[in-house]
Amino acid sequence: MGRWPAMDGGDGITALFRDRTDAGRRLADKLSPLQDQAPVVLALPRGGVAVAVEIARRLHAPLGLVMVRKLGAPYQPELAIGAIASCGAGGNAAIETVINSNVGLLLPDSWLEEETGRQLKELERRRTTYLAGRRQPAIAGRTAILVDDGIATGATMLAALQAVRKEGPKALVLAVPVAPADSLAAFTETADTVICLETPASFMSIGAFYRDFRQLDDSDVIDLLDAAGQF
């Protein structure tokens, strides 16, 4: 596979991708043999949508969303103690919760219920915002390709995979541009196929492997979904 010239992604790490569009196009090259299976492409908002739209375009596949939220630890919201994911349409959406047993924190059940409730409200807000007037594609009996812009610890992706599995796909494919190899190993029992372009030995953060990794907002997601509706 041809490479772009070396790019500084920060922290002394060489960026592997120009941006999410570049990563999506390169993933689409790997996934192109699946076009004959009439797959459905599913993205994790927000950053995963920019990658997935390129795959959906190449495969002429419908694009849907899997809503995922990290469950942050008390007083350390950036520390993921787990994740919650929602897949499907409205009240029929499959909900999956994953708790990271390796965090090593003793958390009261009452706090976990409160945090889960908060994140469920945000999932519903995003669903309403992103999918207003849009239909989620059917997953049952189809090849489902679940896409994000990368994986770090993997809690959110595991919750997303389990939520999609509840929808009854014929095959479930995990596709990401970059992830640490040890994180990928956790998905081999949940996904039927795992496709990852790069597994760097030194992994600080997903953004370090992109030259342009600007954070996307709700309006960016809506614009990408509008564009996806044109193919």
Side-chain angles (χ1 to χ4, degrees), residues 148-157 176 178-184 187 203-207:
D148 203 358
D149 52 17
I151 295 174
T153 61
T156 54
M157 181 57 76
V176 291
V178 61
D182 56 350
S183 290
L184 287 179
F187 305 120
F203 200 101
M204 297 294 293
S205 67
I206 297 170

Side-chain angles (χ1 to χ4, degrees), residues 59-108:
L59 273 56
H60 302 284
L63 176 63
L65 302 179
V66 179
M67 308 298 175
V68 180
R69 291 292 293 173
K70 175 176 63 179
L71 300 176
Y75 312 110
Q76 293 178 273
E78 293 306 312
L79 175 61
I81 63 165
I84 187 165
S86 173
C87 181
N92 297 321
I95 303 293
E96 187 69 20
T97 302
V98 170
I99 300 300
N100 184 358
S101 59
N102 297 322
V103 172
L105 295 178
L106 295 176
L107 301 171

Side-chain angles (χ1 to χ4, degrees), residues 137-173:
I139 296 173
R142 305 182 69 173
T143 295
I145 304 172
L146 187 59
V147 180
D148 203 358
D149 52 17
I151 295 174
T153 61
T156 54
M157 181 57 76
L158 183 58
L161 284 167
Q162 292 181 358
V164 174
R165 181 64 78 183
K166 286 184 175 180
E167 294 291 308
K170 176 179 67 176
L172 180 51
V173 178

Side-chain angles (χ1 to χ4, degrees), residues 90-150:
N92 297 321
I95 303 293
E96 187 69 20
T97 302
V98 170
I99 300 300
N100 184 358
S101 59
N102 297 322
V103 172
L105 295 178
L106 295 176
L107 301 171
D109 291 341
S110 59
W111 180 88
L112 185 58
E113 290 175 4
E114 291 174 2
E115 173 67 359
T116 300
R118 283 191 292 270
Q119 298 309 331
L120 278 173
K121 288 181 180 179
E122 175 61 14
L123 289 185
E124 187 56 34
R125 185 199 70 79
R126 291 190 178 198
R127 183 193 308 281
T128 301
T129 301
Y130 301 156
L131 298 179
R134 309 178 201 272
R135 296 182 60 185
Q136 286 273 60
I139 296 173
R142 305 182 69 173
T143 295
I145 304 172
L146 187 59
V147 180
D148 203 358
D149 52 17

Side-chain angles (χ1 to χ4, degrees), residues 49 53 57 63 65 129-134 218-231:
V49 180
V53 71
R57 179 179 288 112
L63 176 63
L65 302 179
T129 301
Y130 301 156
L131 298 179
R134 309 178 201 272
D218 288 347
S219 63
D220 293 316
V221 173
I222 292 169
D223 288 345
L224 287 164
L225 293 174
D226 287 341
Q230 299 175 11
F231 55 82

